[in-house]
Amino acid sequence: MGLQGIFVVEENRPNNWPQTLNVGAGQVRHPSIAVLEKYAREYDLHYESADKELHEVVARSANDPRLIAKHMNMEYDTTDATDDYFMLNGRSFPYTLRESLIHMEENQKVKLRILNGHTEAFALHIHGHKPTITHYDGVDNGPGSYIQRDVHGMVPAQRIDLELSGVDDGLNSFGQGIWMFHDHVEKSFTTNGHGEGGDISLVVYKGYLDDKGIPLSHGMSLAPYFSKTLWQGKYPIWQDYDTFRSLGLPDLQAVVKPSKVAVQTTPVKASEAAIKAAQQQQGTSAIVKLFYGLVMGLLGYTVVVKRRPIIDFTLKLIDFARSKLVKK
Ligand SMILES: [Cu+2]
């Protein structure tokens, strides 16, 4: 959380004019000449998360930097913090489907610049494709470093550039259609604790969009996802998959009782006898320990103070033993 963005430095070449500001959606509408020489399109994918408690801390600080600093550093505990919202280019599912799609065409290559702005690790998975990493934090380390794989892991603040290929050869692409892409860290496909949400979006091939630019779905409507009931957590997202009601009607009002309680919330009290026994044990052992401490202290003190006579006595003893041995 915080102010973040992707700052792209383009090659210093004549006519290499890039788009200077890319807001929302992710698609770079006017990529540089250098990018267009290799790719059909370019997308910025900025992943970010937000903790509603932190948001609340800042909101009640009246825009006063002193209050913000006090609340953030002394009240808000980062070690206990958990993110509640996971976004791709500032949007969470289903609004990513409206604004952060990756458009593909067969045999085309698309450039993706990805920033992990989450507070935790991130694992980008583009279904049906195996993209190739070309740049690490903006650095091209040469062909030996280009790695093609299924899931690209990133730690916080890392950036990678990927080449997404639409060559349908069972390696680069598994064919045209609609493919999900998302962070494989499970909590990041939730929104305020409800699934599905978070930073899920789709790679959509040409011909798989409706006239409004929304991905075509088969046998179901995406409309309920764009209603209030979804983000209020009142719409169980998979229920419409059984359109013929072959499973009967779900009993949404059923009361669920957990079979066991994982976390004890009521304090456990020890019996009177156990408390007495513990007190007795603690009492005697403390006095005994004190006595031992006193004895050891006195002994140490005596050894230090009377060290001269002790050393003399020891030397005499050694001399005596030696003289006895020599006589023999
Ligand atoms: Cu996946």
Side-chain angles (χ1 to χ4, degrees):
M1 201 156 141
L3 186 62
Q4 300 182 2
I6 300 179
F7 191 86
V8 179
V9 179
E10 281 284 350
E11 280 179 54
N12 186 11
R13 279 170 44 172
N15 304 323
N16 195 27
W17 305 114
Q19 181 184 322
T20 50
L21 191 61
N22 185 26
V23 283
Q27 184 175 2
V28 180
R29 281 152 286 161
H30 305 286
S32 68
I33 303 286
V35 167
L36 288 176
E37 281 170 2
K38 293 180 193 160
Y39 300 98
R41 269 176 302 285
E42 179 185 0
Y43 291 89
D44 296 333
L45 305 180
H46 177 192
Y47 288 89
E48 201 181 1
S49 51
D51 178 3
K52 60 183 177 186
E53 275 80 33
L54 179 58
H55 182 81
E56 186 266 334
V57 159
V58 176
R60 68 181 164 83
S61 300
N63 262 345
D64 183 330
R66 293 162 302 180
L67 287 178
I68 292 173
K70 185 186 165 205
H71 293 153
M72 277 187 63
N73 298 326
M74 299 173 79
E75 289 175 22
Y76 179 74
D77 186 348
T78 309
T79 60
D80 282 341
T82 46
D83 288 324
D84 304 289
Y85 298 96
F86 299 86
M87 294 156 283
L88 165 58
N89 295 329
R91 296 282 184 276
S92 290
F93 175 88
Y95 299 97
T96 47
L97 304 191
R98 209 175 57 185
E99 304 199 21
S100 276
L101 298 173
I102 296 174
H103 295 266
M104 282 292 286
E105 279 182 47
E106 198 176 16
N107 297 322
Q108 278 188 347
K109 279 181 184 171
V110 165
K111 182 176 179 68
L112 309 174
R113 297 183 199 266
I114 299 138
L115 161 63
N116 175 17
H118 285 177
T119 51
E120 291 177 25
F122 169 84
L124 180 70
H125 185 217
I126 304 179
H127 291 200
H129 295 79
K130 290 197 172 31
T132 304
I133 185 165
T134 60
H135 292 68
Y136 298 79
D137 302 326
V139 182
D140 180 351
N141 292 306
S145 71
Y146 300 166
I147 292 168
Q148 187 170 20
R149 66 188 304 180
D150 197 32
V151 178
H152 289 271
M154 299 167 77
V155 295
Q158 270 186 337
R159 291 86 68 201
I160 55 171
D161 291 15
L162 295 182
E163 179 185 288
L164 185 67
S165 167
V167 176
D168 180 6
D169 56 2
L171 175 68
N172 290 289
S173 167
F174 282 56
Q176 298 181 63
I178 299 175
W179 297 98
M180 178 162 79
F181 71 96
H182 64 126
D183 175 7
H184 252 244
V185 176
E186 299 237 350
K187 57 184 162 187
S188 71
F189 33 101
T190 60
T191 298
N192 199 16
H194 293 287
E196 302 295 308
D199 49 37
I200 300 169
S201 195
L202 301 169
V203 171
V204 186
Y205 276 77
K206 195 181 177 184
Y208 288 84
L209 283 176
D210 69 13
D211 51 2
K212 290 184 184 116
I214 298 290
L216 289 166
S217 49
H218 299 283
M220 59 165 287
S221 166
L222 292 175
Y225 298 170
F226 290 96
S227 66
K228 262 187 195 175
T229 49
L230 180 82
W231 55 259
Q232 285 174 342
K234 292 175 186 164
Y235 178 69
I237 204 158
W238 305 118
Q239 67 172 0
D240 292 332
Y241 274 25
D242 180 31
T243 42
F244 300 107
R245 299 273 181 243
S246 60
L247 301 170
L249 288 168
D251 185 3
L252 295 176
Q253 306 303 324
V255 181
V256 179
K257 249 191 175 178
S259 56
K260 61 177 179 181
V261 181
V263 181
Q264 277 280 6
T265 47
T266 45
V268 181
K269 269 194 173 175
S271 69
E272 293 272 308
I275 293 169
K276 248 185 196 169
Q279 277 171 346
Q280 262 178 3
Q281 210 178 35
Q282 277 173 359
T284 48
S285 69
I287 288 165
V288 170
K289 275 178 197 165
L290 197 69
F291 178 71
Y292 278 139
L294 211 66
V295 170
M296 293 308 282
L298 278 172
L299 209 69
Y301 175 77
T302 314
V303 167
V304 172
V305 170
K306 302 280 179 195
R307 60 187 180 282
R308 236 329 91 203
I310 291 171
I311 291 166
D312 290 347
F313 177 74
T314 314
L315 289 174
K316 266 182 199 164
L317 209 67
I318 291 166
D319 279 346
F320 176 74
R322 240 189 225 157
S323 63
K324 284 278 174 199
L325 281 170
V326 170
K327 269 181 195 171
K328 270 182 185 175

